[in-house]
Amino acid sequence: MKIFKFGGASVKNAEAVKNVVQILGSFKGEKIGVVVSAMGKTTNLLEKLVDEYVNDRNPLAVIEESKAFHDQILNELFEDKSHVIFARVETLFGALEKRINTEPSSNYAYEYDQLVGYGELLSTTIVSAYINEKSGACEWLDARKLIRTNVTYKEAKIDWDTTHELVNGAVRNVEAHLFMTQGFLGHTNTGHATTLGREGSDFSAAILAHCLEAESVTIWKDVPGVLNADPKWFDNTQKLNHISFKEAIELSYYGATVIHPKTIQPLKNKNIPLFVKSFVKPEESGTVIHEDTSADSLIPSFIFKMKQVLISISPKDFSFMVEENLSEIFEHFASHRVKINLMQNSAISFSVSVDESPQVQKLIAKLRETYNVKYNDGLELVTIRHYDQETLDRVSTDKKILVEQKSRATARLIMKSIS
Ligand code: ASP
Ligand code: MG
């Protein structure tokens, strides 16, 4: 069995859905489990729906907008307007409307998960119906009966043993060569919907593959594979033809966004290769992520984090930075939910780089009650894996380097533009 994952961009309109069906058609005869995300930007729109709902504004208008978007796709895909899919989609929107007509609880994350998962319910309902219509049987499975999680809504943690049982129990009964389920969604032991965190569908695919001991996972994307840098910040990017699980974990740790960070571990544990391929050019080889580390150092990779704030914290009395200070400082970061991208300490100061956000200003105010705090914003953090002098020079042209950290395989620079 193979597991495929199609993200929002691969099903953003009717033409894209047809392309997905064509790709699946070229795997006829193989058993394939397909994980699909919400269509296009649906999840962002449903996040807006949650805000309108819990703040008692106009959630219905947002539902109408999402309905118009999905209706257009449906109408283009299905000529027969009496097809049962129209009623099914209507039912899903009806259920959403029913929800927003009840009072929200005070638990925002819970309300979020009950609403936002409809994006995936809609996409899988539409795409699987289209496959059934055009190309052959595809069984729709409800991830709210497969993926068991705890109650940490919005960031739910997997209950692996139960999920293993549920997934195998359900898939054993699938007769069709294809089954399709929702990415991103799970459920609690009392049957409430949960979500696995934004962009969590890659992780869903890895969970299924792990539980089913699949032969491989393929993530179909709008890029040719894993590139050595984000083309947004970098010219002449190169595709990494194959990298190891370990390298992929390192890249996502430093902020590379091609694959959701939780995806690799479940695959690595069962030695299941992960392919990243283009849904535009499915015949091309893409990237394979596997056990073999031999190609990891062939091409340097660059990870950029913009809008960084470098905060320097030192005791007001010029005493040393010791464990007690540091643990207190870390507690403030954790309670303000500010994530540290890089840190460095000296005898009398501790410096960290974090993403710019309103929370950071609150954190700085808090720290200033006890420490001298200086900060510098508008910075960029560049991480280079498998660096050399040439790559260091390339990223630091016209930049002033404020912090530089090097280990054997990784260099990290915090820089300011000289303008
Ligand atoms: N639809 C969800 C999101 O946009 C999950 C995913 O796409 O992976 O975050
Ligand atoms: Mg998505």
Side-chain angles (χ1 to χ4, degrees), residues 226 240-244 273-276 285-290:
V226 177
L240 306 174
N241 292 332
H242 53 107
I243 56 173
S244 67
L274 170 62
F275 296 92
V276 180
S285 62
T287 296
V288 53
I289 301 169
H290 53 180

Side-chain angles (χ1 to χ4, degrees), residues 138-278:
C138 171
E139 193 160 326
W140 183 90
L141 296 179
D142 190 337
R144 296 168 305 176
K145 296 198 164 66
L146 299 177
I147 311 289
R148 174 64 61 80
T149 71
N150 70 357
V151 295
T152 312
Y153 293 104
K154 275 190 96 191
E155 249 342 301
K157 303 286 168 294
I158 307 302
D159 167 349
W160 285 96
D161 289 342
T162 311
T163 300
H164 190 273
E165 252 170 60
L166 293 174
V167 167
N168 280 283
V171 171
R172 205 177 297 130
N173 295 324
V174 171
E175 278 169 17
H177 88 98
L178 277 184
F179 73 84
M180 182 172 290
T181 192
Q182 306 77 43
F184 181 52
L185 267 184
H187 70 289
T188 67
N189 63 1
T190 52
H192 291 284
T194 53
T195 65
L196 311 181
R198 284 305 305 265
E199 308 302 331
S201 296
D202 293 353
F203 183 38
S204 302
I207 296 166
L208 289 183
H210 179 96
C211 293
L212 294 164
E213 314 228 332
E215 100 189 47
S216 65
V217 173
T218 305
I219 297 180
W220 296 90
K221 293 188 71 89
D222 54 1
V223 288
V226 177
L227 303 177
N228 73 328
D230 185 338
K232 202 158 63 181
W233 311 117
F234 209 74
D235 296 330
N236 306 321
T237 53
Q238 281 175 278
K239 180 163 73 77
L240 306 174
N241 292 332
H242 53 107
I243 56 173
S244 67
F245 290 124
K246 192 177 151 289
E247 183 68 14
I249 289 171
E250 295 274 357
L251 292 174
S252 77
Y253 171 77
Y254 290 119
T257 53
V258 259
I259 308 155
H260 188 275
K262 289 180 185 160
T263 309
I264 305 295
Q265 204 63 50
L267 301 179
K268 179 174 166 27
N269 289 346
K270 294 244 169 125
N271 199 7
I272 300 168
L274 170 62
F275 296 92
V276 180
K277 282 167 69 98
S278 159

Side-chain angles (χ1 to χ4, degrees), residues 24 62-63 69 88-89 109 126 150 152 218 238 275 285 296 301:
L24 291 172
V62 184
I63 293 186
F69 170 77
R88 280 200 204 129
V89 169
I126 295 171
N150 70 357
T152 312
T218 305
Q238 281 175 278
F275 296 92
S285 62
D296 286 352
S301 290

Side-chain angles (χ1 to χ4, degrees), residues 26-44:
S26 63
F27 291 88
K28 278 229 163 85
E30 293 191 56
K31 201 145 181 111
I32 299 189
V34 187
V35 171
V36 180
S37 307
M39 293 174 145
K41 302 263 177 262
T42 297
T43 307
N44 292 351

Side-chain angles (χ1 to χ4, degrees), residues 65-127:
E65 187 179 339
S66 184
K67 192 162 182 322
F69 170 77
H70 287 90
D71 277 350
Q72 166 142 16
I73 297 177
L74 263 188
N75 276 311
E76 281 180 45
L77 290 175
F78 295 89
E79 277 145 42
D80 175 8
K81 306 303 173 209
S82 64
H83 194 288
V84 60
I85 185 65
F86 289 91
R88 280 200 204 129
V89 169
E90 197 60 50
T91 306
L92 287 169
F93 278 108
L96 260 184
E97 271 181 47
K98 200 167 157 211
R99 275 215 90 88
I100 61 149
N101 284 325
T102 60
E103 266 314 291
S105 69
S106 58
N107 185 344
Y108 176 87
Y110 167 80
E111 298 299 341
Y112 177 103
D113 281 5
Q114 307 318 303
L115 294 175
V116 168
Y118 273 84
E120 272 70 13
L121 293 171
L122 285 159
S123 67
T124 52
T125 301
I126 295 171
V127 178

